[in-house]
Amino acid sequence: MTGPLVAILSGAGISTESGIPDYRGPSGLWRRDPEAEKQVTYEYYMADPEIRRRSWQARREIWSLHAEPNAAHRAIADLDRSGVPVRVITQNVDGLHQQAGMPERKVLELHGTARSVVCTACGARTPLQDAFSRIEAGEPDPPCRDCGGILKTATVMFGEELDPAVLGQAAAIARACQVLVAVGTSLQVYPAAGLVALAADGGARLVIVNAEPTPYDDIADEVIREPIGTSLPLLLARL
Ligand code: ZN
């Protein structure tokens, strides 16, 4: 069975039911706490070892939540497995779409991933768990093993550019899709808002699943306010 290309644009709201708070959004935890925001702001992170130490500790606390995919993540992966072509464009860095069964190549992570670590000097990528092991063994700000450079999670920090290749692919999907489901995102910030506009201009059916109103509700074909974990599986079953 095949069907129309379905693009899922997901934001923090899809993962809050997995116990992950909204850190990055306009009213997210990082924006409300200037000290915490420094830990995810490139300029401060690179300049201050103490901020890096605290940033790693905060990452470990998030990781210790042991978040699991919820019914919404699973419903998206199930739709893909059923033969409907699905692409996920996500603002989240938690990797829960892939953990739910979406193939890596079908998930575009606009803000990178917290599951990998990258060297800011040589670009070497290593698993997050390696960094955590080194921190536990007494290196609170572990340097790159290859070149001694500063390590960070492979997330796009405040003050960093989004990956133009990822952005380009996301735009192409937005233009090509027949259905775009925006789920758990306020659609107030670039690039999410622009992707919705691209899809609408291309004639895609637009469905918005979000607890709060968004600037695109007026042009949406359908707006759903019910909790994502229950409403998204029902919606996707109709596709
Ligand atoms: Zn390096």
Side-chain angles (χ1 to χ4, degrees):
M1 192 181 82
T2 57
L5 176 61
V6 177
I8 308 284
L9 176 61
S10 69
I14 196 172
S15 290
T16 48
E17 287 176 42
S18 290
I20 298 180
D22 178 6
Y23 291 99
R24 181 179 189 115
S27 57
L29 296 181
W30 283 331
R31 287 297 194 192
R32 286 188 273 122
D33 179 351
E35 282 308 308
E37 186 170 359
K38 282 184 185 173
Q39 295 166 16
V40 290
T41 300
Y42 191 77
E43 183 190 352
Y44 291 110
Y45 185 91
M46 294 301 287
D48 187 344
E50 181 54 32
I51 285 180
R52 291 199 291 279
R53 281 185 214 114
R54 279 191 241 132
S55 182
W56 284 116
Q57 288 306 324
R59 294 285 176 194
R60 291 178 73 204
E61 280 166 31
I62 296 170
W63 194 258
S64 70
L65 299 173
H66 296 296
E68 296 285 336
N70 62 53
H73 297 105
R74 289 195 298 271
I76 294 165
D78 286 346
L79 182 67
D80 180 67
R81 269 192 291 265
S82 77
V84 174
V86 177
R87 296 292 182 276
V88 173
I89 303 167
T90 187
Q91 298 171 287
N92 301 335
V93 299
D94 52 40
L96 292 181
H97 285 293
Q98 298 92 318
Q99 199 178 326
M102 275 301 293
E104 289 279 349
R105 65 183 177 83
K106 295 184 177 179
V107 181
L108 288 172
E109 296 172 308
L110 294 171
H111 295 148
T113 177
R115 296 193 174 217
S116 297
V117 166
V118 65
C119 173
T120 57
C122 76
R125 278 175 90 97
T126 46
L128 180 66
Q129 288 302 337
D130 288 6
F132 284 173
S133 300
R134 293 176 65 188
I135 292 163
E136 276 158 36
E139 290 180 274
D141 173 30
C144 175
R145 285 196 197 279
D146 292 343
C147 77
I150 294 172
L151 297 183
K152 64 184 278 296
T153 54
T155 49
V156 179
M157 288 185 168
F158 295 122
E160 285 190 285
E161 301 286 331
L162 301 186
D163 183 336
V166 173
L167 265 184
Q169 291 174 56
I173 290 165
R175 281 194 204 93
C177 68
Q178 275 95 54
V179 182
L180 185 134
V181 183
V183 51
T185 165
S186 62
L187 300 179
Q188 286 175 18
V189 290
Y190 170 88
L195 293 170
V196 169
L198 276 180
D201 287 349
R205 180 176 169 75
L206 176 60
V207 184
I208 293 174
V209 188
N210 199 50
E212 305 293 329
T214 82
Y216 289 88
D217 290 0
D218 287 347
I219 64 162
D221 296 282
E222 193 174 347
V223 177
I224 298 172
R225 295 256 179 269
E226 279 78 49
I228 293 166
T230 46
S231 65
L232 193 71
L234 293 171
L235 168 73
L236 297 185
R238 279 195 273 129
L239 298 176

